[in-house]
Amino acid sequence: MSGTITRVGVVGGGQMGAGIAEVCARAGLHTVVCEADATAARRARERVTASLERAVQRGKLDRPSAEDALTRLAFTAGLDDLADRHLVIEAVVENTDAKTEVFAALDKIVQDPGAILATNTSAIPVMRLGMATQRADHVLGLHFFNPVPVLPLVEVVPSLHTAARTVTAVETFARDTLGKTTIRSQDRTGFVVNALLIPYLLSAVRMAESGFATAADVDAGMELGCAHPMGPLKLADLIGLDTVVAIAQSLYEEFREPLYAPPPLLRRMVEAGLLGRKTGRGFHTYDRDREAR
């Protein structure tokens, strides 16, 4: 790709994909969000619209800016609508097969041979996704954090094949266009943040699982005793317990360290559909305003 990134595509309009699309649109970029079908695309639009409205209500964004951002957003159920993009960010479910399928398809669809294909994966090796394309030098990890419009960090993760110019272009884009702070990580499962965070969350789960302390007391201990803004089990609920399990399993498969293995309680909760805030119940329960109780 030559020139500035002005046309962005996002594959996946869930919590993360919608957040990524929102920050791109707010930064003045024409952004196309691709979902699996028309119903999912409509929900993605509703998700972004609601987030922009919350920002207005909280005084973080003025209404004309929110309305302008919406005019720069398009929602589709067809990957072909991403053909003219300069940058496409994949944000589908944390599953290797699903992500690989997306990258193989994008490689054929995105017309500019210099366009950059990025993944928002939390733990899947970037190399594996890059090798599904014929342009592995233009593939890298661009890992945002939830909620994307609020948290300033982005991890930039090149694989062994990623060209230096690709890394520079994406770091410049994230920093200068989106206003994010970037850190760079090697292509190892978990990258910097989750390699440190997930063992901490799993330790908290094991503590609650064993009856050593209640979920409320574990969280209160870290919030009030260590000045953490959110306790580990509330944070796991926010991330999504299914996502925590997926990252933990990827970490365990790569490093074979017991501290990365998801505890039985966590796996059972995911099997039961108790995924945290997005389902209304995890280690805590949540009302419509998503407050833990």
Side-chain angles (χ1 to χ4, degrees), residues 92-152:
V92 302
V93 63
E94 193 72 4
N95 175 277
T96 300
D97 291 341
K99 290 180 183 292
T100 300
E101 183 178 341
V102 168
F103 273 84
L106 289 173
D107 188 41
K108 296 179 175 65
I109 289 168
V110 179
Q111 296 173 353
D112 184 349
I116 296 170
L117 306 181
T119 176
N120 185 57
T121 182
S122 303
I124 295 169
V126 175
M127 172 67 77
R128 195 172 300 168
L129 303 178
M131 293 300 287
T133 76
Q134 299 300 312
R135 54 175 104 188
D137 58 329
H138 287 80
V139 175
L140 82 172
L142 189 58
H143 182 219
F144 294 80
F145 292 84
N146 183 40
V148 180
V150 176
L151 295 186

Coordinates of all heavy atoms in Angstrom, one line a residue, residues 92-152:
V92 N -13.2 -11.4 14.4 CA -14.2 -12.5 14.6 C -13.9 -13.3 15.8 O -13.0 -13.0 16.6 CB -14.3 -13.4 13.3 CG1 -14.6 -12.5 12.1 CG2 -13.0 -14.2 13.1
V93 N -14.7 -14.3 16.0 CA -14.5 -15.2 17.2 C -13.1 -15.7 17.3 O -12.4 -15.9 16.3 CB -15.5 -16.3 17.1 CG1 -15.3 -17.2 15.9 CG2 -15.6 -17.1 18.4
E94 N -12.7 -15.9 18.6 CA -11.3 -16.3 18.9 C -11.1 -17.8 18.6 O -11.0 -18.6 19.5 CB -10.9 -16.0 20.3 CG -9.5 -16.1 20.6 CD -8.6 -15.0 20.0 OE1 -9.2 -14.0 19.4 OE2 -7.4 -15.0 20.2
N95 N -11.1 -18.1 17.3 CA -11.0 -19.5 16.8 C -10.1 -19.5 15.6 O -10.3 -18.8 14.7 CB -12.4 -20.0 16.5 CG -12.4 -21.4 15.9 OD1 -12.2 -21.6 14.7 ND2 -12.6 -22.4 16.7
T96 N -9.1 -20.4 15.7 CA -8.1 -20.4 14.6 C -8.7 -20.7 13.3 O -8.3 -20.0 12.3 CB -7.0 -21.5 15.0 OG1 -6.4 -21.1 16.2 CG2 -5.9 -21.5 13.9
D97 N -9.5 -21.7 13.2 CA -10.1 -22.0 11.9 C -10.9 -20.9 11.3 O -10.9 -20.6 10.1 CB -11.0 -23.3 12.0 CG -10.2 -24.6 12.3 OD1 -9.0 -24.5 12.0 OD2 -10.8 -25.5 12.8
A98 N -11.7 -20.2 12.1 CA -12.6 -19.1 11.7 C -11.7 -18.0 11.2 O -12.0 -17.4 10.1 CB -13.5 -18.7 12.8
K99 N -10.7 -17.7 11.9 CA -9.8 -16.5 11.5 C -9.0 -16.9 10.3 O -8.9 -16.0 9.4 CB -8.9 -16.2 12.7 CG -9.6 -15.5 13.9 CD -8.6 -15.1 15.0 CE -9.3 -14.6 16.2 NZ -9.9 -13.2 15.9
T100 N -8.5 -18.1 10.2 CA -7.8 -18.5 9.0 C -8.6 -18.4 7.7 O -8.2 -18.0 6.7 CB -7.3 -20.0 9.2 OG1 -6.4 -20.0 10.3 CG2 -6.5 -20.4 7.9
E101 N -9.9 -18.8 7.9 CA -10.8 -18.8 6.7 C -11.0 -17.3 6.3 O -11.1 -17.0 5.1 CB -12.2 -19.4 7.1 CG -13.2 -19.4 6.0 CD -14.5 -20.1 6.4 OE1 -14.5 -20.8 7.4 OE2 -15.5 -19.9 5.8
V102 N -11.1 -16.4 7.2 CA -11.3 -15.0 6.9 C -10.1 -14.5 6.2 O -10.2 -13.8 5.1 CB -11.6 -14.1 8.2 CG1 -11.4 -12.7 7.9 CG2 -12.9 -14.5 8.7
F103 N -8.9 -14.8 6.6 CA -7.7 -14.3 6.0 C -7.5 -14.8 4.6 O -7.1 -14.1 3.7 CB -6.4 -14.6 6.9 CG -6.2 -13.5 7.9 CD1 -6.9 -13.5 9.1 CD2 -5.3 -12.4 7.6 CE1 -6.7 -12.4 10.0 CE2 -5.1 -11.4 8.5 CZ -5.8 -11.4 9.7
A104 N -7.8 -16.1 4.4 CA -7.7 -16.7 3.1 C -8.6 -16.0 2.1 O -8.3 -15.8 1.0 CB -8.0 -18.2 3.2
A105 N -9.8 -15.7 2.6 CA -10.8 -15.0 1.7 C -10.4 -13.6 1.4 O -10.5 -13.1 0.3 CB -12.2 -15.0 2.4
L106 N -9.9 -12.9 2.5 CA -9.5 -11.5 2.3 C -8.4 -11.4 1.3 O -8.3 -10.4 0.5 CB -9.1 -10.8 3.6 CG -10.2 -10.6 4.6 CD1 -9.7 -10.1 5.9 CD2 -11.2 -9.5 4.0
D107 N -7.5 -12.3 1.3 CA -6.3 -12.3 0.4 C -6.7 -12.3 -1.0 O -6.1 -11.7 -1.9 CB -5.5 -13.6 0.7 CG -4.1 -13.6 -0.1 OD1 -3.5 -12.5 -0.1 OD2 -3.8 -14.6 -0.6
K108 N -7.9 -13.0 -1.3 CA -8.4 -13.0 -2.7 C -9.2 -11.8 -3.0 O -9.3 -11.4 -4.2 CB -9.2 -14.3 -2.9 CG -8.4 -15.6 -2.8 CD -9.3 -16.8 -3.0 CE -8.5 -18.1 -3.0 NZ -7.9 -18.3 -1.6
I109 N -9.8 -11.2 -2.0 CA -10.8 -10.1 -2.2 C -10.2 -8.7 -2.3 O -10.5 -7.9 -3.1 CB -11.9 -10.2 -1.2 CG1 -12.8 -11.4 -1.4 CG2 -12.8 -8.9 -1.1 CD1 -13.7 -11.7 -0.2
V110 N -9.3 -8.4 -1.3 CA -8.7 -7.1 -1.2 C -7.8 -6.8 -2.4 O -6.8 -7.6 -2.6 CB -8.0 -6.9 0.1 CG1 -7.4 -5.5 0.2 CG2 -9.0 -7.2 1.3
Q111 N -8.1 -5.8 -3.2 CA -7.5 -5.7 -4.5 C -6.1 -5.1 -4.4 O -5.2 -5.6 -5.2 CB -8.3 -4.7 -5.3 CG -9.7 -5.3 -5.7 CD -10.6 -4.3 -6.4 OE1 -10.3 -3.2 -6.5 NE2 -11.8 -4.8 -6.8
D112 N -5.8 -4.2 -3.6 CA -4.5 -3.6 -3.5 C -3.5 -4.6 -2.9 O -3.6 -5.0 -1.8 CB -4.5 -2.3 -2.6 CG -3.2 -1.6 -2.5 OD1 -2.2 -2.1 -3.0 OD2 -3.2 -0.4 -2.0
P113 N -2.5 -5.0 -3.7 CA -1.5 -6.0 -3.2 C -0.7 -5.5 -2.0 O -0.1 -6.2 -1.2 CB -0.6 -6.3 -4.4 CG -0.8 -5.1 -5.2 CD -2.2 -4.6 -5.1
G114 N -0.7 -4.1 -1.8 CA 0.0 -3.6 -0.7 C -0.9 -3.3 0.5 O -0.4 -2.8 1.6
A115 N -2.2 -3.6 0.5 CA -3.1 -3.4 1.6 C -2.7 -4.3 2.8 O -2.1 -5.4 2.6 CB -4.5 -3.7 1.2
I116 N -2.9 -3.8 4.0 CA -2.5 -4.5 5.2 C -3.7 -5.2 5.8 O -4.8 -4.7 5.9 CB -2.0 -3.4 6.2 CG1 -0.7 -2.8 5.7 CG2 -1.7 -4.1 7.5 CD1 -0.3 -1.6 6.5
L117 N -3.5 -6.5 6.1 CA -4.5 -7.3 6.8 C -4.0 -7.5 8.2 O -2.9 -8.0 8.5 CB -4.6 -8.6 6.1 CG -4.9 -8.6 4.6 CD1 -5.0 -10.0 4.0 CD2 -6.1 -7.8 4.3
A118 N -4.8 -7.1 9.2 CA -4.5 -7.2 10.6 C -5.5 -8.0 11.3 O -6.6 -8.1 11.0 CB -4.4 -5.8 11.2
T119 N -5.0 -8.7 12.4 CA -5.9 -9.4 13.3 C -5.9 -8.8 14.7 O -4.9 -8.4 15.2 CB -5.4 -10.9 13.4 OG1 -6.3 -11.6 14.3 CG2 -4.0 -11.0 13.8
N120 N -7.1 -8.8 15.2 CA -7.3 -8.4 16.6 C -7.2 -9.6 17.6 O -7.6 -9.5 18.7 CB -8.6 -7.6 16.8 CG -8.8 -7.0 18.1 OD1 -8.0 -6.2 18.6 ND2 -9.8 -7.4 18.8
T121 N -6.7 -10.7 17.2 CA -6.6 -11.9 18.0 C -5.9 -11.5 19.4 O -5.0 -10.7 19.5 CB -5.8 -13.0 17.4 OG1 -5.8 -14.1 18.2 CG2 -4.4 -12.6 17.0
S122 N -6.4 -12.2 20.4 CA -5.8 -12.1 21.7 C -4.6 -13.0 21.9 O -3.8 -12.8 22.8 CB -6.8 -12.3 22.8 OG -7.9 -11.5 22.7
A123 N -4.6 -14.1 21.2 CA -3.7 -15.2 21.5 C -3.2 -16.0 20.4 O -2.2 -16.7 20.5 CB -4.3 -16.1 22.6
I124 N -3.9 -16.1 19.3 CA -3.6 -17.0 18.1 C -2.3 -16.4 17.4 O -2.2 -15.2 17.2 CB -4.7 -17.1 17.2 CG1 -5.9 -17.8 17.9 CG2 -4.3 -17.8 15.9 CD1 -7.2 -17.7 17.1
P125 N -1.3 -17.3 17.1 CA -0.1 -16.8 16.5 C -0.4 -16.1 15.1 O -1.2 -16.6 14.3 CB 0.7 -18.1 16.2 CG 0.2 -19.0 17.3 CD -1.2 -18.7 17.5
V126 N 0.1 -14.9 15.0 CA -0.1 -14.1 13.8 C 0.5 -14.9 12.6 O -0.1 -14.8 11.5 CB 0.6 -12.7 13.9 CG1 0.5 -11.9 12.6 CG2 -0.1 -12.0 15.1
M127 N 1.6 -15.5 12.7 CA 2.2 -16.3 11.6 C 1.2 -17.3 11.0 O 1.2 -17.4 9.8 CB 3.5 -17.0 12.1 CG 4.1 -18.0 11.1 SD 4.8 -17.1 9.7 CE 6.3 -16.6 10.5
R128 N 0.5 -17.9 11.8 CA -0.5 -18.9 11.3 C -1.5 -18.3 10.4 O -1.9 -18.9 9.4 CB -1.2 -19.6 12.5 CG -1.9 -20.9 12.2 CD -2.4 -21.5 13.5 NE -1.3 -21.9 14.4 CZ -1.4 -22.3 15.6 NH1 -2.6 -22.3 16.2 NH2 -0.4 -22.6 16.4
L129 N -1.9 -17.1 10.7 CA -2.9 -16.4 9.9 C -2.3 -15.8 8.7 O -2.9 -15.8 7.6 CB -3.6 -15.3 10.7 CG -4.3 -15.8 12.0 CD1 -4.9 -14.6 12.8 CD2 -5.3 -16.8 11.7
G130 N -1.1 -15.3 8.8 CA -0.4 -14.7 7.6 C -0.1 -15.8 6.6 O -0.2 -15.5 5.4
M131 N 0.2 -17.0 7.0 CA 0.5 -18.1 6.1 C -0.7 -18.6 5.3 O -0.6 -19.3 4.4 CB 1.2 -19.2 6.8 CG 2.5 -18.9 7.4 SD 3.7 -18.4 6.1 CE 4.0 -20.0 5.3
A132 N -1.9 -18.1 5.7 CA -3.1 -18.4 5.0 C -3.3 -17.5 3.8 O -4.2 -17.7 3.0 CB -4.4 -18.3 5.9
T133 N -2.4 -16.6 3.6 CA -2.4 -15.6 2.5 C -1.2 -15.7 1.7 O -0.2 -16.4 2.0 CB -2.5 -14.2 3.1 OG1 -1.2 -13.8 3.5 CG2 -3.5 -14.0 4.2
Q134 N -1.2 -15.0 0.6 CA 0.0 -14.9 -0.3 C 0.7 -13.6 0.0 O 1.6 -13.2 -0.8 CB -0.5 -14.9 -1.8 CG -1.1 -16.2 -2.2 CD -0.2 -17.5 -2.0 OE1 0.9 -17.5 -2.4 NE2 -0.8 -18.5 -1.3
R135 N 0.4 -12.9 1.1 CA 1.0 -11.6 1.4 C 1.3 -11.5 2.9 O 1.0 -10.6 3.6 CB 0.0 -10.5 1.0 CG -1.4 -10.6 1.6 CD -2.2 -9.4 1.3 NE -3.2 -9.7 0.2 CZ -3.9 -8.8 -0.4 NH1 -3.9 -7.5 0.0 NH2 -4.8 -9.1 -1.3
A136 N 2.0 -12.6 3.4 CA 2.3 -12.6 4.8 C 3.2 -11.4 5.3 O 3.1 -11.1 6.5 CB 3.1 -13.9 5.1
D137 N 3.8 -10.8 4.4 CA 4.6 -9.6 4.7 C 3.7 -8.4 5.0 O 4.2 -7.4 5.6 CB 5.6 -9.2 3.6 CG 5.0 -9.0 2.3 OD1 3.9 -9.6 2.0 OD2 5.5 -8.2 1.5
H138 N 2.5 -8.5 4.6 CA 1.5 -7.4 4.9 C 0.5 -7.8 6.0 O -0.6 -7.2 6.1 CB 0.8 -7.0 3.6 CG 1.6 -6.3 2.7 ND1 2.5 -6.9 1.8 CD2 1.7 -4.9 2.4 CE1 3.2 -5.9 1.1 NE2 2.7 -4.8 1.5
V139 N 0.8 -8.8 6.8 CA -0.1 -9.3 7.8 C 0.5 -9.1 9.2 O 1.7 -9.4 9.3 CB -0.5 -10.8 7.6 CG1 -1.3 -11.3 8.8 CG2 -1.2 -11.0 6.3
L140 N -0.2 -8.6 10.1 CA 0.3 -8.5 11.5 C -0.8 -8.4 12.5 O -2.0 -8.4 12.1 CB 1.2 -7.2 11.6 CG 0.5 -5.8 11.8 CD1 1.6 -4.8 12.1 CD2 -0.3 -5.4 10.7
G141 N -0.5 -8.5 13.8 CA -1.5 -8.3 14.8 C -1.6 -6.9 15.2 O -0.7 -6.1 15.3
L142 N -2.9 -6.5 15.4 CA -3.2 -5.1 15.9 C -4.3 -5.3 16.9 O -5.5 -5.4 16.7 CB -3.8 -4.3 14.7 CG -4.0 -2.8 14.9 CD1 -2.7 -2.1 15.4 CD2 -4.5 -2.1 13.7
H143 N -3.8 -5.5 18.2 CA -4.7 -6.0 19.3 C -5.1 -4.8 20.1 O -4.4 -4.2 20.9 CB -3.9 -7.0 20.1 CG -4.7 -7.5 21.2 ND1 -4.2 -7.8 22.5 CD2 -6.0 -7.9 21.3 CE1 -5.1 -8.3 23.3 NE2 -6.3 -8.4 22.6
F144 N -6.4 -4.5 20.0 CA -7.1 -3.4 20.8 C -7.6 -4.0 22.1 O -7.6 -5.3 22.3 CB -8.2 -2.8 20.0 CG -7.9 -2.1 18.8 CD1 -7.6 -2.8 17.6 CD2 -7.8 -0.7 18.8 CE1 -7.2 -2.1 16.4 CE2 -7.5 0.0 17.6 CZ -7.2 -0.7 16.5
F145 N -8.0 -3.1 23.0 CA -8.5 -3.6 24.3 C -9.9 -3.0 24.6 O -10.2 -1.9 24.1 CB -7.5 -3.1 25.4 CG -6.2 -3.9 25.3 CD1 -5.2 -3.5 24.5 CD2 -6.0 -5.1 26.1 CE1 -4.0 -4.2 24.3 CE2 -4.8 -5.8 25.9 CZ -3.8 -5.3 25.1
N146 N -10.6 -3.8 25.3 CA -12.1 -3.5 25.5 C -12.3 -2.6 26.8 O -11.7 -3.0 27.8 CB -12.8 -4.8 25.7 CG -14.3 -4.6 25.8 OD1 -14.9 -3.8 25.2 ND2 -14.9 -5.4 26.7
P147 N -13.0 -1.5 26.7 CA -13.7 -1.0 25.6 C -12.8 -0.2 24.7 O -12.1 0.7 25.2 CB -14.8 -0.1 26.2 CG -14.3 0.3 27.5 CD -13.4 -0.8 28.0
V148 N -12.8 -0.4 23.4 CA -11.9 0.2 22.4 C -11.9 1.7 22.4 O -10.9 2.3 22.4 CB -12.1 -0.4 21.0 CG1 -11.1 0.2 20.0 CG2 -11.9 -1.9 21.0
P149 N -13.1 2.3 22.5 CA -13.1 3.8 22.5 C -12.5 4.4 23.7 O -12.2 5.6 23.7 CB -14.6 4.2 22.4 CG -15.3 2.9 21.8 CD -14.5 1.8 22.4
V150 N -12.3 3.7 24.8 CA -11.8 4.2 26.1 C -10.4 3.9 26.3 O -9.6 4.8 26.7 CB -12.7 3.7 27.2 CG1 -12.2 4.2 28.6 CG2 -14.2 4.1 27.0
L151 N -10.0 2.6 26.2 CA -8.6 2.2 26.5 C -7.7 2.6 25.4 O -7.9 2.4 24.2 CB -8.6 0.7 26.7 CG -9.4 0.2 27.9 CD1 -9.2 -1.3 28.2 CD2 -9.0 1.0 29.2
P152 N -6.5 3.2 25.8 CA -5.6 3.8 24.8 C -4.6 2.9 24.2 O -3.9 3.3 23.2 CB -4.9 4.9 25.7 CG -4.8 4.3 27.0 CD -6.2 3.6 27.2

